[in-house]
Amino acid sequence: MFLKTDGAGNLSFDSLSFATPLAVIGNATAGSEIRLPEDTDNGSNYVAIKAPDNLASNLTLTLPSADGTSGQVLQTNGSGVLSFSSPSSDFVLLATTDASSSATVSFDGYFSSTYKNYQIIISDVYPATANTTLSCRFRRSNADVTASSYSAVGRRTHLASTNVSDGRYASSASSIDVLTNSSPNSASRTTAINVMIYNPLSTASYKKVSFLVIGASDDGGGTNAVWNVNNFGQLVDNTNALSGITFYYSSGNIASGNFKLYGIK
């Protein structure tokens, strides 16, 4: 409330109001801003809403008429009208496993009709025993498929000091080799792997997986040795749907590593 005059000496109380639009004037060096201070008992910090220093044209943002639900984000329709919406679920983190002296790492039961393909990102993984092979097996009905029904092909590029070598390999065995006899048991020389699993719930085709690998080598190449590997494999016993995948080293445990499984629509 405030006290006002009618110009003839008569005073009365009235409510304070402002006509819209209300303009907050900036200056020659910065756009205008509105500051909302914190409780004065707690200090003098504030939250500011500030205009850009340079605008090509007027910009009006219209706020939503109601609050959104937990986890939603504020989006625009491209014409300045804001609304709350759920983030895109086309690429979603489904599970995370941090290996620590683990015999195996498995993801099982996460494949569903919601997603077509799946990606696993493995970071900073290394074995407890040096010069061992990192392998994987598909899972069906919550169990590893151990039959000798896997086939694979890949290309490996090996840098050892100033020497570069390249090779291909193919196999038909009880697992798919991701990185062969090349992993040092060192927390400073780890392996990073990008895994793609293609349509694991299909019952019409053999199940396929691909790997992009980069990691240090410990097979006599010296401290500068590194592997870059592109591997591709499939399970060819039948076309039944999969339930998951398992990773393990040929000897000893997975000393450490972070494994993240994502679903992709």
Side-chain angles (χ1 to χ4, degrees):
M1 300 291 289
F2 69 99
L3 196 62
K4 71 175 183 178
T5 179
D6 63 359
N10 299 312
L11 302 179
S12 63
F13 286 102
D14 199 355
S15 298
L16 183 65
S17 62
F18 298 95
T20 61
L22 174 64
V24 179
I25 306 302
N27 55 47
T29 59
S32 62
E33 66 178 77
I34 299 173
R35 295 185 179 184
L36 306 174
E38 65 181 344
D39 185 336
T40 55
D41 291 340
N42 294 324
S44 58
N45 295 320
Y46 59 85
V47 174
I49 301 174
K50 184 180 181 302
D53 294 343
N54 186 16
L55 284 167
S57 61
N58 294 332
L59 172 63
T60 300
L61 299 176
T62 302
L63 293 173
S65 59
D67 191 11
T69 59
S70 177
Q72 288 192 314
V73 297
L74 200 61
Q75 71 171 13
T76 178
N77 68 349
S79 298
V81 179
L82 306 181
S83 62
F84 288 102
S85 67
S86 299
S88 171
S89 58
D90 291 346
F91 184 81
V92 174
L93 176 63
L94 302 177
T96 299
T97 296
D98 288 305
S100 179
S101 299
S102 307
T104 63
V105 168
S106 294
F107 291 110
D108 207 332
Y110 294 100
F111 298 157
S112 73
S113 59
T114 303
Y115 303 101
K116 182 80 168 182
N117 304 306
Y118 296 82
Q119 182 175 13
I120 300 174
I121 298 177
I122 306 173
S123 57
D124 296 328
V125 65
Y126 67 96
T129 304
N131 295 328
T132 53
T133 296
L134 178 63
S135 299
C136 78
R137 286 176 172 145
F138 286 135
R139 293 174 66 83
R140 289 197 185 110
S141 301
N142 311 114
D144 289 350
V145 178
T146 59
S148 296
S149 302
Y150 296 92
S151 61
V153 64
R155 168 169 289 194
R156 301 184 297 174
T157 304
H158 180 211
L159 171 65
S161 298
T162 58
N163 298 318
V164 178
S165 61
D166 181 72
R168 297 178 178 85
Y169 77 94
S171 65
S172 179
S174 60
S175 63
I176 298 173
D177 292 343
V178 182
L179 186 61
T180 306
N181 299 329
S182 306
S183 303
N185 56 337
S186 168
S188 63
R189 301 174 67 199
T190 60
T191 299
I193 307 168
N194 193 331
V195 185
M196 289 295 302
I197 304 170
Y198 304 93
N199 199 9
L201 295 185
S202 169
T203 57
S205 61
Y206 294 142
K207 304 306 174 290
K208 300 172 179 63
V209 63
S210 64
F211 308 91
L212 174 61
V213 185
I214 182 170
S217 172
D218 197 23
D219 59 354
T223 58
N224 293 328
V226 64
W227 281 109
N228 172 251
V229 183
N230 288 274
N231 288 347
F232 310 89
Q234 63 179 349
L235 179 59
V236 296
D237 59 339
N238 59 60
T239 60
N240 294 344
L242 302 179
S243 66
I245 190 171
T246 295
F247 298 90
Y248 64 96
Y249 279 103
S250 57
S251 177
N253 293 328
I254 303 173
S256 184
N258 178 262
F259 296 71
K260 291 184 180 294
L261 172 67
Y262 297 85
I264 305 173
K265 285 187 176 180

